[in-house]
Each structure stands twice: as C-alpha cells, then as structure tokens.
Amino acid sequence: MNHAAKRHPALKLGLTVIAMRQHGPHIAKILARQALAEAQHLHVRTGVVGFDIAGPERGNPPHLFRSSYEIARKGMLG
C-alpha cells in the first residue's frame, strides 16, 4: 500500500480492521486495541484507518461491543 500511495498520490488508501461478532466481545476489544496501536504506529504511512464489527447480530447484539467501539472512537478510527 505504501508503494502504491507513493506512485499514485491522489489515491487514498487504508485498512479497516474487522472483528467478527461470533468471536465475541473480548476478541473484538483486543482487535480494536490492536487496530489503534497500528494506526498510531503507522501515522505517517498508509495503514489502519478504521474499525468495524461484522457478522450476525442474532446472539451478538451491538451493546455487547460498546467498549470496542469506544476504543475505536477515542482513537479516531473511522
């Protein structure tokens, strides 16, 4: 991605880390923290720009993942 960004400066690139609901809120929280750490580490390069939680909501309602979203929000991840 860094190579492509240098060759095509008008191109906007970034990674979104996606946690799967079925893996549970604890894993999502770990991934949110890791996404934030990577985003801060690569702040001058192309890297992590967002965090998402995907998968079936049945049995895994959004409120279970509140702390993961808070970590991402405080870290200014999209």
Side-chain angles (χ1 to χ4, degrees), residues 20-68:
M20 299 304 294
R21 291 176 186 275
Q22 60 268 31
H23 294 156
H26 180 70
I27 298 298
K29 196 175 193 179
I30 290 170
L31 287 173
R33 287 181 177 147
Q34 187 62 38
L36 182 56
E38 289 297 321
Q40 291 173 343
H41 173 70
L42 298 171
H43 68 281
V44 296
R45 296 173 39 196
T46 301
V48 177
V49 297
F51 178 75
D52 185 31
I53 297 177
E57 286 191 21
R58 180 174 285 169
N60 303 292
H63 70 86
L64 295 177
F65 300 91
R66 178 173 283 136
S67 59
S68 300

Side-chain angles (χ1 to χ4, degrees), residues 3-33:
H3 179 70
K6 286 179 185 175
R7 290 186 63 202
H8 308 282
L11 190 63
K12 300 293 181 191
L13 300 170
L15 296 172
T16 300
V17 172
I18 301 173
M20 299 304 294
R21 291 176 186 275
Q22 60 268 31
H23 294 156
H26 180 70
I27 298 298
K29 196 175 193 179
I30 290 170
L31 287 173
R33 287 181 177 147

